[in-house]
Amino acid sequence: MKKARLLGKMLILFVLLDHSRSYAQLRPETLRFSVANETTSLPSFRLLKLPVHPAFNVGADFRVKSGKHWQKSLGADVYYYYHRLAEHAIMLDASYRLGYRFNFGLQINLLTALGYKHTILPGDKYELKDGEYQKARHFGKPMANVKVGLGLEYPLSEKYSVTTDYKVMLAAPSGNIYIPFALNNFFGAGLKIKLENN
C-alpha cells in the first residue's frame, strides 16, 4: 500500500514537472502591439489609403534566436479589423519573422504568417424564400489566410522597440468561382516589448 502511494505521488510529481517544463517553453519572449489601416485591394506603393479601416494586432514571440545581425522568431498573432462597407474580421495566425539588424540598431524584417480568418458581414443578410426576401442569420465565414510583408524595427531601449510594417494578405475561399480569394493590405505601426529572460 505504501509503495502504491509513493508511486502515485511520484507519478503526480512527474506530471507536474512535465507540465511546468511545457509551460516554460510556451512563455512569450516578446509581446507586440500595433494599429494599422486595412484596405481591400491589390498591393500598392501608396501605403496610406483613405478612408481608414482600423486594424488592431496583439502578438507574442515564443521562440527567438538572435545572432550578431540575424534574428529569427516564431510566434502567434490575433488581429481584428473593421472595413465599413465590406466586413469585419478576427484572425489567428502563426507567424515567422526573419530580421537583419544593422550596426546602428535599425532592423529590417521579412514577415510571414499562416492562419485562420473569420469574417462577419457589417449589414443584414437576406435569403429568397417563397418568392420574398427575408432576413437570414449570418454567423460569418471561415477562411484560411496567408500574409507576407516587410517591416522595420528600431530599439528605444533594451526593452522597447518601435515597429512599422506593410503586409499583404491572401484569404480563401472568398465569394464564388469568379472571386476565389480576397486580397487585403495592412500598413501599421506598433510597439514591441522584450520580456524578462525566462
Side-chain angles (χ1 to χ4, degrees):
M1 191 69 155
K2 288 182 180 179
K3 287 183 180 179
R5 285 184 191 162
L6 181 62
L7 186 61
K9 288 179 181 178
M10 288 176 60
L11 183 61
I12 290 171
L13 181 63
F14 175 74
V15 168
L16 289 174
L17 286 173
D18 187 53
H19 281 303
S20 67
R21 196 176 324 124
S22 298
Y23 173 73
Q25 291 174 353
L26 289 178
R27 288 175 60 188
E29 295 186 32
T30 62
L31 293 177
R32 293 177 274 106
F33 304 93
S34 68
V35 293
N37 183 30
E38 178 275 339
T39 57
T40 303
S41 65
L42 293 171
S44 167
F45 289 107
R46 187 175 160 218
L47 297 179
L48 187 59
K49 298 179 181 178
L50 296 174
V52 171
H53 304 123
F56 306 95
N57 174 31
V58 176
D61 293 318
F62 296 100
R63 295 274 187 267
V64 178
K65 291 188 177 180
S66 297
K68 183 177 179 184
H69 292 286
W70 292 95
Q71 184 182 74
K72 297 184 278 188
S73 63
L74 185 63
D77 291 274
V78 176
Y79 291 85
Y80 171 80
Y81 75 85
Y82 177 73
H83 191 122
R84 183 176 58 89
L85 298 176
E87 64 190 10
H88 53 112
I90 298 170
M91 294 174 283
L92 178 61
D93 293 344
S95 61
Y96 177 77
R97 297 166 186 267
L98 177 63
Y100 181 84
R101 185 180 306 270
F102 297 97
N103 290 332
F104 56 94
L106 180 69
Q107 180 170 313
I108 186 166
N109 295 314
L110 171 65
L111 314 167
T112 60
L114 177 66
Y116 173 79
K117 174 184 176 185
H118 194 87
T119 62
I120 301 165
L121 298 175
D124 295 326
K125 183 178 179 180
Y126 292 87
E127 288 181 350
L128 185 62
K129 289 184 182 177
D130 300 325
E132 290 184 16
Y133 283 100
Q134 298 176 4
K135 271 191 181 181
R137 292 184 178 178
H138 186 264
F139 298 106
K141 182 174 185 171
M143 303 169 84
N145 79 76
V146 175
K147 294 183 182 75
V148 177
L150 288 174
L152 296 173
E153 180 179 324
Y154 190 79
L156 299 174
S157 67
E158 282 287 322
K159 188 170 184 173
Y160 299 102
S161 298
V162 290
T163 63
T164 184
D165 56 47
Y166 179 75
K167 297 176 195 155
V168 176
M169 177 180 74
L170 183 136
S174 175
N176 52 33
I177 60 170
Y178 301 108
I179 308 172
F181 58 87
L183 280 173
N184 302 75
N185 299 291
F186 299 90
F187 176 61
L191 181 67
K192 180 176 172 182
I193 304 169
K194 184 176 179 184
L195 302 178
E196 296 297 323
N197 291 335
N198 298 330

